[in-house]
């Protein structure tokens, strides 16, 4: 199948497919933030070590990892090579491409070979590729094969309509009204499909929107935490900072510095406060 046709077939299910680089040197470290998508990380060389932030005993080693929807930050460490392929799937995409509902993966990390045995070959095959176009084509081909096996397991139009309603309003009750169902029915649908509550899903969406605005502002050199908070639906900057600490394990300014998105002196740090791990 030509590349354009592969991309079109996968578009409803794949949100992101890109190379990643954790930095120069023999080891890379990355903070994985809460997400409303299912993510797959495939290193080119050595395996990944992942631990939920604040829980050192949770550290595990994976050749390639699948992470479900989660509301807590994680720490990813990769040694022996810091590059690879990263992709994110919409919740219906997890079932359509991997054959596993997103609800079965919620709050968890697992090896790709255990979740989708037919894709167990990807790490070794990717390591042999010499260019990004070849790596992308290899991953897309594996996803297309998965779609052929599991297309009937997408969750149907009901789940997609439910997620669209939740993303289009900030209140669960309003989403239920738009869908013409009870709040209880909405909650049951979301829990069965995603493994989180409707309120938690909206919380993830708001956090991701705020993260996108924060990154865009940092790249434009116009970071204003108050403006990001207001545009993302938070009551004020303090509310935004508390929520960011709870979900990212650090303040927004600390995260921007750690990601290299702002100079170390450009945003004053807030007073120290507690952080929340997984």
């Amino acid at each position: 199948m030509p590349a354009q046709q592969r991309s079109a077939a996968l578009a409803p299910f794949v949100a992101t497919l890109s190379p990643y680089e954790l930095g120069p040197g023999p080891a890379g470290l990355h903070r994985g933030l809460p997400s409303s998508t299912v993510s797959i990380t495939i290193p080119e060389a050595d395996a990944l070590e992942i631990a939920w932030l604040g829980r050192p005993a949770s550290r595990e080693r994976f050749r390639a990892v699948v992470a479900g929807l989660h509301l807590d930050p994680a720490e990813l460490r990769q040694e022996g090579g810091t590059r690879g392929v990263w992709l994110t799937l919409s919740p219906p995409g997890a079932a359509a491409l991997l054959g596993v509902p997103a609800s079965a993966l919620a709050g968890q990390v697992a090896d790709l070979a255990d979740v989708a045995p037919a894709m167990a070959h990807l790490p070794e095959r990717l390591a042999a590729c010499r260019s990004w176009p070849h790596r992308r084509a290899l991953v897309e081909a594996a996803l297309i094969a998965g779609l052929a096996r599991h297309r009937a397991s997408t969750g149907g139009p009901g789940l997609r309509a439910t997620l669209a309603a939740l993303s289009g309003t900030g209140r669960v009750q309003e989403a239920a009204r738009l869908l013409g169902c009870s709040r209880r029915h909405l909650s049951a649908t979301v829990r069965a499909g995603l493994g989180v509550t409707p309120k938690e899903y909206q919380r993830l969406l708001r956090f991701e929107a705020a993260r996108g605005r924060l990154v865009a502002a940092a790249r434009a050199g116009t970071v204003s935490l108050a403006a990001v908070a207001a545009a993302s639906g938070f009551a004020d900057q303090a509310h935004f900072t508390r929520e960011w600490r709870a979900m990212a394990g650090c303040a927004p300014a600390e995260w921007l510095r750690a990601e290299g998105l702002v100079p170390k002196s450009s945003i004053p740090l807030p007073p120290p406060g507690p952080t929340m791990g997984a």
Side-chain angles (χ1 to χ4, degrees):
M1 181 184 295
Q4 190 171 4
Q5 290 183 18
R6 289 198 306 266
S7 298
L10 295 172
F13 309 113
V14 178
T16 307
L17 174 55
S18 64
Y20 71 81
E21 169 64 71
L22 296 183
L29 189 64
H30 173 71
R31 179 170 301 203
L33 298 183
S35 173
S36 67
T37 58
V38 172
S39 66
I40 302 175
T41 307
I42 310 173
E44 284 184 20
D46 207 353
L48 280 169
E49 289 187 356
I50 299 180
W52 296 110
L53 205 64
R55 290 169 47 193
S58 68
R59 185 172 300 279
E60 294 186 69
R61 192 175 178 84
F62 302 93
R63 182 61 187 92
V65 68
V66 180
L69 277 69
H70 57 98
L71 287 91
D72 300 298
E75 181 183 85
L76 289 75
R77 181 182 297 274
Q78 183 176 338
E79 298 186 4
T82 58
R83 299 185 303 175
V85 176
W86 174 66
L87 57 150
T88 60
L89 312 179
S90 66
L97 303 176
L98 304 180
V100 177
S103 56
L105 301 167
Q108 301 182 47
V109 290
D111 201 283
L112 177 62
D114 294 331
V115 175
M119 297 185 185
H121 67 283
L122 277 178
E124 286 68 31
R125 294 280 302 278
L126 284 169
C129 293
R130 295 181 177 272
S131 69
W132 166 242
H134 288 156
R135 293 185 183 95
R136 183 183 184 97
L138 178 63
V139 172
E140 286 184 338
L143 295 175
I144 289 291
L147 182 60
R149 289 190 297 270
H150 309 298
R151 182 182 290 275
S153 305
T154 62
L159 178 59
R160 293 193 292 273
T162 297
L163 299 185
L166 286 170
S167 65
T169 176
R171 298 180 63 84
V172 176
Q173 188 61 47
E174 177 63 13
R177 187 192 68 78
L178 291 172
L179 292 165
C181 67
S182 68
R183 182 163 180 162
R184 176 175 294 184
H185 177 79
L186 172 61
S187 179
T189 299
V190 175
R191 280 185 175 276
L194 276 66
V196 299
T197 68
K199 187 174 181 180
E200 287 171 335
Y201 181 67
Q202 288 187 322
R203 187 183 178 197
L204 287 168
L205 291 176
R206 183 174 65 173
F207 176 80
E208 289 178 324
R211 181 180 64 189
R213 292 186 178 100
L214 194 61
V215 170
R219 287 174 174 164
T222 58
V223 176
S224 166
L225 298 184
V228 170
S232 304
F234 293 93
D236 52 32
Q237 181 178 332
H239 179 206
F240 169 52
T241 299
R242 286 195 303 273
E243 180 74 343
W244 190 277
R245 279 187 178 277
M247 298 187 77
C250 65
E254 294 176 86
W255 181 77
L256 286 173
R257 292 192 184 109
E259 293 293 307
L261 292 168
V262 295
K264 291 187 176 182
S265 60
S266 63
I267 304 179
L269 282 171
T275 61
M276 182 185 298

